[in-house]
Amino acid sequence: MARTSRDIRSANRLGVIQQVISAGTTSRQRIAAATGLSLGTVATLVGELTALGLLTEAGREDSGGGRPRGLVTPNPRGGLLIGVDVAETYVHVDLFDATLTRLTGTEEALRPNERRPEQVVAHIVSGVRTVMAGAGGRILGAGVSVPGQVDREGGVSVFAPNWDWHDVPLRDLLARSLALPLHLDNPLRAAVVAELWSGAARGRDDVAVINLGTGVGAGLAFGGALYRGSSNTAGEWGHTTLVLDGRLCRCGSRGCVEAYVGAPGIMQTLRDLAPTSALLHPEDQTATLGALAAGLAAGDPIAAKVNAETGRYLGVAVADLINLINPELVVLSSWVADRLGVPLLDEVRAVVTQHALRRPLTDAEIVLSTVPGNPVSLGAATLALEGFLTGGR
Amino acid sequence: MARTSRDIRSANRLGVIQQVISAGTTSRQRIAAATGLSLGTVATLVGELTALGLLTEAGREDSGGGRPRGLVTPNPRGGLLIGVDVAETYVHVDLFDATLTRLTGTEEALRPNERRPEQVVAHIVSGVRTVMAGAGGRILGAGVSVPGQVDREGGVSVFAPNWDWHDVPLRDLLARSLALPLHLDNPLRAAVVAELWSGAARGRDDVAVINLGTGVGAGLAFGGALYRGSSNTAGEWGHTTLVLDGRLCRCGSRGCVEAYVGAPGIMQTLRDLAPTSALLHPEDQTATLGALAAGLAAGDPIAAKVNAETGRYLGVAVADLINLINPELVVLSSWVADRLGVPLLDEVRAVVTQHALRRPLTDAEIVLSTVPGNPVSLGAATLALEGFLTGGR
């Protein structure tokens, strides 16, 4: 409950730079209107951010008869940020400038047998070195997203179900090779921050960003701010029950949302409907989802059936989320949502309309992610910028 | 997203009086430590609350060598608050002093055919007049909790499923007879506020208060503050899916949590297990739950079976909530939780341990409500105090 004056000051500083980065170029007056802060506070915080090199003055605009207003813009030369998306099958690393514009990136495949922490760490280190080669300027920090549950203060991967990691001190392992401020978090957190700063959730208050990949979860924001829960594990919506005593989930429970709408769950639905379908590429989620997407575009009836079934599971689960948290926006993100796209979105919207309660339904817009490129690496870099500004490591 | 300086000032004022009411008698220094506010801000807010008659000075305490510290205490003569719990079968009205201590109360039964708004309004008015008879002092406000979805700004019951009310202008109807500041909300909101100010959630941040009655829902608090969602309908956890295509729920969907753990759902479980059981009082939820509670105490095997089944449904659904929002505290509240008590709590805890993910499980304490008396009427009165202090109506 205790929010110290320092917490509030940090939050306000972040609010200001988030506004400027979202808007591109803006005035102190518009920042004050958007954040609810007084003009005096905004002026002070803009001064601090300018002194840090993150903002610059950008001329004046006519204010309709009054004094011309000074404009500020984010400073691309304010420093560099690194965002790392460690997924089940790859390590993706992007380099951004201080305006969160992507400069370059690289991706290294993780083979199925590369599951030990030191193997994954080696790929992260190699990816970071690749994007930093030839880059000039100070590095403000690197954000690293790893699947599963993360202790961000300690920099520890508490539990990564895909690799069966328990309490892996990832930040310490990385720090042996990388002399950078390192910020560890998970893809749910990264994706929601990316939408808040750079995507569909700009200016929104109560938001759920659903990550549909091999794993499934929902990043949550309340009052425009990332919600972490009491130990940074909020959002494990993939492990809420949709079908009591249903399909076995890799978490050990039965009937979880993830067991139906994660990539392996979608493959199971396809296998149940058409065990010999040519759409099915056993052991290859990417190829199967690609085949399903191509099948949908070509009017394949099996692909349409799988999409409808998946949309039904996902739609009921999204309606549950709408009834429980009454969000104004639900964003479908990550690679499965990207592959199935509008056909899946259409099914989900139809099912949600039948299942959600009328009042929360009216408020809840459901959209596909609008973040360009990889939302998780962008979000991880954004978390690194937040860490730089709030003095966390 | 925009939190104006006025919002923050109102929130801080509430934070201070909440601390004093929770603590009884305390010092400005302890309030500052608990709220994270500066001592200067606390002193200013205590001054304002004293001028409003809500706090009084209460002598000094030794500060261990330093200057003695001035103590403040809530002022019972600061005014009166009314809390109204409109439930499916009764209208319960309590009168409180400004310290939220209950002075008197009354309850009027609602007969099954009394479902029209003017009938319910007549009971509220009559109950309020009963508790106010002979009461001296200014009335700070009345909080009225009605089931279903509420538009609090407009004072409208948007949807009350039990009576099939749609857009009933309840505050306007009440204002014809009651010249009081009236604050409308629903039992989920009232129950969580009661726990935050006067119950198990004092000093806690991320909390779910589960209302188990005829209807079922979860009042949510994040960061120590009530979470309403984008249109004040957050918490409709009773209408999230536990069993896809399961029991028909009165909301029109199938397999909702409420259809299994609300009082009618528990009666259904009993009917399924033992259709001719003497525990079953058809059409009488209160009598059936009373018989089940007595049966549990007496070791009746059917009662134990119903409790175990209910605990399984409820435990899985509570585990879902824990995985999704990572709360530090889950409180079981309302009359069904009160009746089944510890035997239900024990089943729930055992099932949650099996179903929740390890990390959020570690954080989440599950307890029965500790609010004395009726938590909903107390919470409604607390919301009226909040409304008085923040200038809302």
Side-chain angles (χ1 to χ4, degrees):
Chain A
M1 170 181 288
R3 283 192 90 204
T4 64
S5 313
R6 189 159 165 276
D7 290 342
I8 292 169
R9 190 170 184 82
S10 285
N12 289 343
R13 205 191 243 197
L14 279 180
V16 168
I17 192 147
Q18 184 177 348
Q19 277 303 315
V20 182
I21 285 179
S22 294
T25 297
T26 189
S27 64
R28 291 165 182 78
Q29 286 77 5
R30 284 202 295 274
I31 299 169
T35 55
L37 298 170
S38 73
L39 191 55
T41 302
V42 170
T44 303
L45 295 169
V46 164
E48 289 175 13
L49 291 163
T50 305
L52 286 167
L54 294 174
L55 300 183
T56 48
E57 300 290 334
R60 296 182 167 272
E61 70 174 358
D62 186 43
S63 66
R67 266 202 315 184
R69 290 170 171 178
L71 297 173
V72 290
T73 195
N75 178 14
R77 283 170 302 283
L80 297 168
L81 294 158
I82 293 166
V84 182
D85 171 20
V86 180
E88 320 248 349
T89 55
Y90 61 81
V91 173
H92 182 101
V93 183
D94 283 323
L95 182 72
F96 300 88
D97 69 21
T99 75
L100 293 171
T101 299
R102 183 174 169 280
L103 301 174
T104 184
T106 186
E107 190 166 303
E108 306 195 359
L110 281 177
R111 285 186 301 274
N113 63 343
E114 292 187 301
R115 20 188 335 122
R116 281 186 294 117
E118 50 273 41
Q119 293 174 309
V120 173
V121 162
H123 280 290
I124 298 172
V125 170
S126 141
V128 168
R129 286 186 176 149
T130 301
V131 301
M132 281 173 65
R138 63 172 174 169
I139 311 276
L140 304 179
V144 179
S145 162
V146 288
Q149 295 158 34
V150 167
D151 169 4
R152 45 196 289 273
E153 282 78 25
V156 172
S157 167
V158 175
F159 177 48
N162 45 312
W163 300 312
D164 200 31
W165 285 5
H166 293 270
D167 299 317
V168 172
L170 210 50
R171 191 172 58 205
D172 289 348
L173 294 174
L174 286 165
R176 291 182 194 165
S177 307
L178 297 173
L180 291 171
L182 291 163
H183 305 269
L184 201 66
D185 219 314
N186 84 6
L188 301 180
R189 242 59 76 198
V192 71
V193 165
E195 297 294 337
L196 286 169
W197 285 63
S198 313
R202 276 180 279 197
R204 299 302 190 96
D205 278 337
D206 302 327
V207 176
V209 177
I210 290 176
N211 270 32
L212 285 179
T214 305
V216 170
L220 304 174
F222 301 133
L226 176 59
Y227 174 74
R228 296 184 175 278
S230 70
S231 60
N232 197 33
T233 67
E236 291 293 349
W237 173 76
H239 303 290
T240 62
T241 305
L242 181 62
V243 184
L244 190 73
D245 302 324
R247 287 184 188 167
L248 186 62
C249 180
R250 61 177 170 170
C251 76
S253 284
R254 286 196 167 270
C256 292
V257 170
E258 182 174 297
Y260 296 86
V261 304
I266 296 172
M267 288 173 72
Q268 183 62 47
T269 300
L270 170 57
R271 209 176 281 117
D272 291 349
L273 285 168
T276 61
S277 169
L279 299 172
L280 189 65
H281 298 248
E283 313 297 320
D284 191 338
Q285 301 172 17
T286 316
T288 305
L289 267 290
L292 280 170
L296 279 173
D300 178 290
I302 295 293
K305 198 102 195 281
V306 171
N307 184 59
E309 270 292 279
T310 303
R312 186 171 90 96
Y313 294 129
L314 183 57
V316 171
V318 168
D320 289 350
L321 202 51
I322 288 172
N323 287 349
L324 182 62
I325 67 166
N326 185 201
E328 59 184 300
L329 181 70
V330 176
V331 181
L332 304 185
S333 180
S334 197
W335 68 272
V336 170
D338 201 43
R339 281 297 159 89
L340 299 181
V342 172
L344 181 63
L345 178 67
D346 286 346
E347 294 286 345
V348 167
R349 283 178 171 164
V351 173
V352 166
T353 302
Q354 289 163 30
H355 284 263
L357 297 172
R358 193 185 60 155
R359 177 87 189 231
L361 174 65
T362 310
D363 299 313
E365 201 183 342
I366 307 172
V367 301
L368 295 170
S369 172
T370 62
V371 173
N374 181 325
V376 173
S377 63
L378 173 59
T382 308
L383 286 167
L385 177 58
E386 289 197 9
F388 172 74
L389 285 171
T390 56
R393 51 173 294 175
Chain B
M1 171 183 288
R3 283 194 89 203
T4 65
S5 313
R6 189 160 164 274
D7 292 340
I8 292 169
R9 192 170 183 82
S10 285
N12 288 344
R13 205 191 243 197
L14 280 180
V16 168
I17 191 146
Q18 184 177 344
Q19 278 303 315
V20 182
I21 285 180
S22 294
T25 297
T26 188
S27 65
R28 290 165 183 77
Q29 286 77 4
R30 284 201 296 273
I31 299 169
T35 57
L37 298 170
S38 73
L39 190 55
T41 301
V42 169
T44 304
L45 295 169
V46 164
E48 289 175 14
L49 291 163
T50 305
L52 284 167
L54 294 174
L55 298 183
T56 49
E57 299 291 334
R60 296 182 167 273
E61 68 172 2
D62 186 41
S63 66
R67 264 203 316 182
R69 291 171 170 178
L71 298 173
V72 290
T73 195
N75 179 13
R77 284 169 302 282
L80 297 168
L81 293 158
I82 292 166
V84 182
D85 171 20
V86 180
E88 320 249 349
T89 55
Y90 61 80
V91 173
H92 182 102
V93 183
D94 282 324
L95 182 72
F96 300 88
D97 69 20
T99 74
L100 293 172
T101 299
R102 183 173 170 279
L103 302 175
T104 183
T106 186
E107 190 166 304
E108 306 195 359
L110 281 177
R111 286 185 300 273
N113 63 343
E114 291 187 302
R115 17 185 339 120
R116 281 186 294 117
E118 51 272 42
Q119 294 174 309
V120 173
V121 162
H123 280 291
I124 298 173
V125 170
S126 142
V128 169
R129 286 189 176 146
T130 300
V131 301
M132 281 173 64
R138 63 173 175 170
I139 310 277
L140 304 179
V144 179
S145 162
V146 287
Q149 294 159 34
V150 166
D151 169 5
R152 45 197 288 273
E153 280 79 25
V156 172
S157 166
V158 175
F159 178 47
N162 44 314
W163 301 311
D164 201 31
W165 285 6
H166 293 270
D167 298 318
V168 173
L170 210 50
R171 191 172 59 205
D172 289 349
L173 294 174
L174 287 165
R176 290 182 193 166
S177 306
L178 297 174
L180 292 171
L182 292 162
H183 305 270
L184 202 66
D185 220 314
N186 83 7
L188 301 181
R189 242 59 76 196
V192 71
V193 165
E195 296 295 338
L196 285 170
W197 285 63
S198 313
R202 276 180 281 197
R204 300 300 191 98
D205 278 335
D206 303 327
V207 176
V209 177
I210 290 177
N211 270 33
L212 284 180
T214 306
V216 170
L220 304 175
F222 300 133
L226 177 59
Y227 174 73
R228 296 183 175 280
S230 70
S231 59
N232 197 34
T233 67
E236 292 292 350
W237 173 75
H239 303 290
T240 62
T241 306
L242 181 62
V243 185
L244 191 73
D245 302 324
R247 287 184 188 168
L248 186 62
C249 180
R250 60 178 172 171
C251 76
S253 283
R254 285 194 168 273
C256 293
V257 170
E258 182 175 297
Y260 296 86
V261 303
I266 295 172
M267 287 173 72
Q268 183 62 47
T269 300
L270 170 56
R271 209 176 281 118
D272 292 350
L273 285 168
T276 60
S277 169
L279 300 171
L280 190 64
H281 298 249
E283 312 298 320
D284 192 338
Q285 299 173 20
T286 316
T288 305
L289 268 291
L292 280 168
L296 279 173
D300 178 288
I302 295 292
K305 197 100 196 280
V306 171
N307 184 59
E309 270 292 278
T310 303
R312 187 171 89 97
Y313 293 129
L314 183 57
V316 171
V318 168
D320 290 350
L321 202 52
I322 288 171
N323 287 350
L324 182 62
I325 67 168
N326 185 201
E328 59 184 301
L329 181 70
V330 176
V331 181
L332 305 185
S333 179
S334 198
W335 67 272
V336 170
D338 201 42
R339 280 299 159 87
L340 299 182
V342 171
L344 181 63
L345 178 67
D346 286 344
E347 294 286 345
V348 168
R349 284 178 170 163
V351 173
V352 165
T353 302
Q354 289 163 30
H355 280 80
L357 297 171
R358 192 186 60 157
R359 177 89 189 227
L361 174 66
T362 309
D363 299 314
E365 200 184 342
I366 307 173
V367 301
L368 295 171
S369 173
T370 62
V371 173
N374 181 323
V376 173
S377 63
L378 173 59
T382 309
L383 287 166
L385 177 59
E386 289 198 9
F388 171 73
L389 285 171
T390 57
R393 51 171 297 171

